[in-house]
Amino acid sequence: MVVILLGPPGVGKGTQAVRLAEELYAAHVSTGDLLRTARREGTELGKKAQEYMDGGELVPDDVILALVREHLAGIAPETDVLFDGFPRTTVQATGLRTVLTEVGREVDGVVLLEAPDEALVKRLSGRRSCPDCGAVYNVYSNPAGVEDTCDRCGGSLVHRADDAPDTVSRRLEVYREQTAPLVSYYESDPAPLARVRADRSVDEVYGDFRTAVEGVR
Ligand code: AMP
C-alpha cells in the first residue's frame, strides 16, 4: 500500500504519520525529515536544500525526486509506504507516478488533513521536534512527558527555524500556490482521496486518519 498524506504545514502530518507507520509497520517517508538529515550530515544535498528551506520555499523538484527515488530503492516492495510532505507540486506527483511504476507500485490512496490558517499558525509556534528520530510534539496540544526531551529516544527537542512567524506565512503561501492544486489532481485520480478535519485533538484526528487508511488497505 502506498498512501500520501497531504495538507498544509502545521496540520499535523508528521505526528499522525509517525504514529500510524509505527502501528502498521509501514515506512514513513517524510522528504522534510530526509532533507533535515542531509543538512545535519552536511551532504551536498543538504547544502543545496538549505537556502530554500530557510526561506520557506520548495526545494527544486528534480532534487526531491532524485531523493525519493533513492530512498524508495531501500524499502522492500512489500512494505507499506506513507508519504508525508511529498509530493508538493504536480511535477512531483507525476514524477512519483513514474518512480512507483518502475517498482510495480501505484498510489493507493490520499488523505488530506485540513485546518484553518489560525490553527496552523498556532500549531507551528508551539511545535517542537526531535532532530534525532523525527518525532513531533506541541507545547499546547501534544507535549513531551519531560519538557524539551523526546519521549521516544531521549533526544533534545528543538523549535525549527522555519517555524518562525515570517517563514511560516511564506510556507502557507507556497502551500496554497504550489501544493493545494494537488487536491484536484488527486480528486480526478482513481485512488480515493479522504478529507480529515485536523483542528481537533491528536487522538480524534488519528482515529479518522486510521479509518481512512484502513479503507485503502
Ligand atoms: P516539512 O518538514 O515537510 O514541512 O518540510 C520542510 C521544508 O523542506 C519545506 O518548507 C521545503 O523547503 C522542504 N521540503 C520538504 N519536502 C519537500 C518537497 N516534497 N518538495 C520541495 N521542498 C520540500
Side-chain angles (χ1 to χ4, degrees), residues 127-202:
R127 177 155 78 175
R128 301 291 180 271
S129 46
C130 177
D132 298 330
C133 74
V136 185
Y137 302 86
N138 195 290
V139 294
Y140 307 116
S141 56
N142 179 32
V146 177
E147 201 182 331
D148 292 336
T149 304
C150 181
D151 292 345
R152 291 169 80 213
C153 77
S156 297
L157 303 183
V158 297
H159 187 221
R160 282 166 42 181
D162 62 343
D163 284 344
D166 281 358
T167 318
V168 163
S169 39
R170 179 61 193 148
R171 286 165 66 205
L172 290 173
E173 217 170 74
V174 166
Y175 175 78
R176 273 191 292 272
E177 287 166 5
Q178 302 188 54
T179 309
L182 286 181
V183 176
S184 43
Y185 178 96
Y186 282 117
E187 267 171 345
S188 55
D189 198 84
L193 180 137
R195 292 170 182 262
V196 173
R197 251 194 52 219
D199 52 339
R200 296 177 293 155
S201 75
V202 172

Side-chain angles (χ1 to χ4, degrees), residues 31-32 35-36 53 57-59 64 85 88 92 160 171:
T31 42
L35 292 169
R36 279 182 288 277
M53 294 174 80
E57 304 295 334
L58 294 186
V59 173
I64 295 291
R88 258 173 154 102
Q92 291 180 19
R160 282 166 42 181
R171 286 165 66 205

Side-chain angles (χ1 to χ4, degrees), residues 43-133:
T43 64
E44 269 317 300
L45 167 71
K47 286 180 198 145
K48 224 186 268 182
Q50 187 158 338
E51 209 176 305
Y52 298 101
M53 294 174 80
D54 289 346
E57 304 295 334
L58 294 186
V59 173
D61 291 329
D62 56 336
V63 175
I64 295 291
L65 282 166
L67 174 69
V68 169
R69 183 185 295 269
E70 189 192 314
H71 191 73
L72 267 187
I75 296 175
E78 64 277 12
T79 301
D80 294 333
V81 177
L82 278 178
F83 281 111
D84 156 15
F86 171 84
R88 258 173 154 102
T89 64
T90 43
V91 172
Q92 291 180 19
T94 319
L96 173 62
R97 221 187 270 275
T98 308
V99 172
L100 288 175
T101 305
E102 284 166 12
V103 292
R105 290 189 171 211
E106 59 184 5
V107 172
D108 298 297
V110 179
V111 180
L112 171 65
L113 296 186
E114 301 178 289
D117 277 7
E118 308 84 72
L120 302 174
V121 170
K122 180 165 184 209
R123 286 253 183 94
L124 291 167
S125 73
R127 177 155 78 175
R128 301 291 180 271
S129 46
C130 177
D132 298 330
C133 74

